[in-house]
Amino acid sequence: MAGIANAQTNSVSPYSRFGFGDLYHGLNARYMGMGGASLASPDFLNINFGSPASYTNLKLTTFDVGFEATRINQMQESPAVNIDNSRSGMRNLSVGVPIMNWWGSAVSIQPYSFKGYQINSSRVLPSDSNVTITDQFNGQGGLNSVIWGNSFEVAKGLSLGVNMHYLFGSLRENNIVNFYDYTFLDTRSDRESQISGVFFNYGAQYQYLMPKDRFLSAALRFQNATSINSTDLSFDYTIDGNTARDTLVGGSSNEGSYTLPSELGFGLSYGKMNLENRQVSWAVNADFESYNGSEFKSSIGGNPLENGYRLELGGFMTPQMTFKSLERGTGFFNNTEYRIGGFYEKTPLNISGQDIYNYGITFGLGLPIRQRNMAPGEQKVSTINLGVVAGQRGSLANNLIREQYISFYLSVTFNDKWFIDYKYR
């Protein structure tokens, strides 16, 4: 990606030029604090849309709202560029309900991808070396997803689940060829894809309980390649300064489609249950996920993707439930959940013969909110989840752009027991 990375539209990344843009991970602050490793993690109090078979774990009705704020430093060696960017916003609004002991369901609205970049590169006219040409590549937009997930315990310890995603939004790109010579007219092409469609991913999770309240859990997630509908708009014209002169291709509209690649994930989790509190005392999680980016297709063309993968490792512990000496402790920090993790990803991007990698470390806290004045039989749990991700994507090799970033995640989770049958004597 030779050229200059200027300030990003929507404060995203030049790497969002490819595919659907920067894909959002879809995980809340709790799981981000553990490196994203969550496929097999049994969780009674949090909604895990990354694992479609996990909703049967929910024991209380759960509401979750999440936010993200990210600071990115983007650097390039030749030409020398060093830019700071940022992005922030609300990232999910979710609710999960344990409908039956064997059936859990959840709904969420959250981002699916972000596109936003402005890239300039310079070259000379082949027939006249005195004429300099600047190519400007701009993009903006993004996709959102409404998710409805259901999972069912079909045998003791074994759950199967499915997520239905309704994807919608638009992706816009425009490219300008600027000659910086009044004997030539500059040209501009605008492209927009209005995308909507449904796709599914499927999951299985198995939990095996061992002596001393230990458990071992394994999970699978699969998503097949899916065609998503699009309406593609295009407009090409020459410009004089900022004024359109001659239309080359005028406002054509075509029905097309994008191919969403298949994915496969596998996860393991080992830890200790605290059945009395309906929580996990501590656990270590590991996930492997593959992404068949070579299956991606766009009706308006664009750069191809490659196959990628991601490794995630993380864990957590609550001191009061982990150490016997603290079992009777009621202190705030004894009841705080502490999280740590890391990840290593080969992204589906290959630019100038260079694979693009993304890796980092993560930290997190689960801060309990004390409940007061509860009626007999009421069960309420509220938690403020914090997650921090410090990572790097890209490289300075081959005139590429290196991004060093730190992301802060915040989610507030409310758990409540519905349909309490009060009895009086």
Side-chain angles (χ1 to χ4, degrees), residues 54 60 99 118 146 150 173 257 273 317 321 335 414:
S54 65
L60 301 174
I99 298 176
Q118 180 178 317
V146 176
N150 288 273
E173 298 182 347
S257 66
M273 291 279 190
M317 57 87 78
M321 292 187 290
N335 287 279
F414 303 96

Side-chain angles (χ1 to χ4, degrees), residues 134 176-181 184-188 237-243 245-246 248:
T134 297
I176 300 174
V177 180
N178 192 331
F179 287 93
Y180 290 104
D181 188 317
F184 298 90
L185 285 176
D186 302 333
T187 61
R188 173 170 174 155
Y237 50 94
T238 59
I239 56 176
D240 184 2
N242 293 320
T243 305
R245 292 285 298 272
D246 298 317
L248 306 177

Side-chain angles (χ1 to χ4, degrees), residues 39-325:
L39 271 176
S41 181
D43 197 331
F44 303 125
L45 301 176
N46 292 273
I47 310 170
N48 185 0
F49 286 98
S51 183
S54 65
Y55 311 122
T56 49
N57 293 318
L58 292 173
K59 301 305 179 187
L60 301 174
T61 299
T62 302
F63 296 90
D64 185 88
V65 57
F67 305 86
E68 176 207 1
T70 295
R71 185 73 172 174
I72 311 171
N73 175 261
Q74 295 162 320
M75 179 177 290
Q76 186 179 35
E77 283 190 338
S78 179
V81 177
N82 193 325
I83 297 173
D84 287 323
N85 272 313
S86 62
R87 65 168 182 248
S88 62
M90 184 175 175
R91 292 296 179 253
N92 78 278
L93 182 62
S94 310
V95 59
V97 181
I99 298 176
M100 299 286 186
N101 290 334
W102 48 270
W103 176 15
S105 185
V107 178
S108 179
I109 182 168
Q110 56 185 254
Y112 181 81
S113 70
F114 306 97
K115 185 178 285 285
Y117 61 86
Q118 180 178 317
I119 305 170
N120 295 344
S121 65
S122 298
R123 54 192 172 96
V124 297
L125 188 68
S127 60
D128 188 349
S129 59
N130 293 318
V131 178
T132 300
I133 303 172
T134 297
D135 296 295
Q136 300 177 6
F137 305 95
N138 306 284
Q140 54 273 160
L143 304 179
N144 295 299
S145 179
V146 176
I147 308 172
W148 180 32
N150 288 273
S151 67
F152 309 89
E153 187 174 22
V154 296
K156 185 177 180 180
L158 175 62
S159 294
L160 303 178
V162 58
N163 285 336
M164 182 182 74
H165 299 249
Y166 173 65
L167 197 64
F168 64 97
S170 63
L171 304 174
R172 299 177 295 278
E173 298 182 347
N174 65 73
N175 303 329
I176 300 174
V177 180
N178 192 331
F179 287 93
Y180 290 104
D181 188 317
Y182 291 111
T183 60
F184 298 90
L185 285 176
D186 302 333
T187 61
R188 173 170 174 155
S189 64
D190 292 339
R191 300 287 184 270
E192 179 176 354
S193 290
Q194 299 172 351
I195 297 170
S196 65
V198 173
F199 69 94
F200 298 85
N201 49 35
Y202 311 90
Q205 189 178 91
Y206 178 70
Q207 297 173 25
Y208 176 68
L209 295 179
M210 297 183 290
K212 298 182 180 180
D213 296 330
R214 299 295 197 275
F215 72 87
L216 180 64
S217 179
L220 282 171
R221 184 186 68 211
F222 173 72
Q223 177 179 304
N224 56 341
T226 307
S227 179
I228 302 294
N229 295 329
S230 68
T231 300
D232 304 317
L233 310 174
S234 62
F235 199 95
D236 295 344
Y237 50 94
T238 59
I239 56 176
D240 184 2
N242 293 320
T243 305
R245 292 285 298 272
D246 298 317
T247 300
L248 306 177
V249 175
S252 62
S253 175
N254 299 289
E255 298 301 315
S257 66
Y258 283 69
T259 299
L260 196 68
S262 61
E263 299 179 20
L264 179 65
F266 175 73
L268 290 172
S269 179
Y270 173 75
K272 180 182 178 182
M273 291 279 190
N274 188 310
L275 298 176
E276 181 181 351
N277 293 335
R278 295 184 174 180
Q279 296 185 49
V280 178
S281 303
W282 60 267
V284 177
N285 307 325
D287 289 356
F288 173 80
E289 302 173 52
S290 64
Y291 179 86
N292 295 324
S294 59
E295 297 175 345
F296 176 83
K297 294 180 181 178
S298 166
S299 55
I300 60 173
N303 299 286
L305 301 180
E306 294 193 345
N307 296 340
Y309 62 84
R310 183 179 175 100
L311 295 166
E312 301 165 331
L313 180 65
F316 64 91
M317 57 87 78
T318 303
Q320 190 266 343
M321 292 187 290
T322 301
F323 304 106
K324 285 189 176 181
S325 60

